[in-house]
Amino acid sequence: MRIGFGYDSHRLVEGRRLILGGVELPFEKGLLGHSDGDVLLHAIMDAVIGALGMGDIGRHFPDTDPRWKDASSLAMLKQVVGLAHAGGFAVSWVDCTVVAEAPKIAPHAERMKEAIASSGIPAEAINIKAKTNEGMGFTGRGEGIAAYAVCLLTKVA
Ligand code: MG
């Protein structure tokens, strides 16, 4: 078995759609990023890449590469899960926490799990939690959203 940990944060800005957990959420701001800025999927990707011992998301999807400009993070996650499968690993569990003052994440968590499942991680192996930061720091002030993820990979082949 292998465990991996991932963290990411992105700035909230006006004029961008909010893509989080592979779905669009109704909100007045969106996450700034070279890709779609999906901070939750980026944390999950870094957890899986970490468990594989293959560096980090920046090594696989450099933000200097125009291919990943406005790219779907879900498509990137699919590639990362493909690396795990190619290495003979199943993604057995993913647990994550989104830190956001707004919007509320819980009403969308099931929809996010279904979207993430299209990457090859089973929906029943994903848990999504959310917290505010009690008004403290950049997340608390609504300047950005952060996400943490851990994953368990199991060798199956
Ligand atoms: Mg990121």
Side-chain angles (χ1 to χ4, degrees):
M1 289 183 287
R2 299 271 193 89
I3 57 166
F5 170 75
Y7 167 80
D8 197 24
S9 61
H10 280 256
R11 193 179 287 275
L12 275 169
V13 295
E14 280 167 20
R16 295 257 308 177
R17 297 185 304 150
L18 177 57
I19 310 293
L20 196 63
V23 302
E24 184 170 348
L25 303 191
F27 196 56
E28 66 266 24
K29 289 179 176 178
L31 292 168
L32 187 63
H34 184 68
S35 66
D36 60 15
D38 192 327
V39 68
L40 175 55
L41 296 196
H42 294 182
I44 294 173
M45 276 186 254
D46 249 357
V48 175
I49 291 168
L52 289 169
M54 297 177 80
D56 60 30
I57 190 171
R59 188 168 118 194
H60 296 267
F61 307 101
D63 62 10
T64 49
D65 189 334
R67 262 188 308 165
W68 311 117
K69 176 100 178 73
D70 297 320
S72 154
S73 295
L74 206 47
M76 293 155 70
L77 178 61
K78 199 175 269 186
Q79 282 198 38
V80 168
V81 173
L83 288 174
H85 292 165
F89 288 99
V91 182
S92 299
W93 196 257
V94 171
D95 184 29
C96 37
T97 300
V98 177
V99 185
E101 212 64 17
K104 286 258 173 273
I105 307 300
H108 307 284
E110 284 307 310
R111 205 154 58 92
M112 290 178 180
K113 281 161 70 166
E114 281 167 31
I116 294 167
S118 73
S119 71
I121 302 173
E124 60 272 19
I126 306 164
N127 188 64
I128 299 171
K129 309 184 296 300
K131 312 185 74 66
T132 71
N133 215 32
E134 303 276 334
M136 298 179 289
F138 73 89
T139 47
R141 290 187 297 270
E143 292 167 11
I145 294 179
Y148 301 84
V150 290
C151 79
L152 178 72
L153 302 186
T154 310
K155 192 87 177 172
V156 289

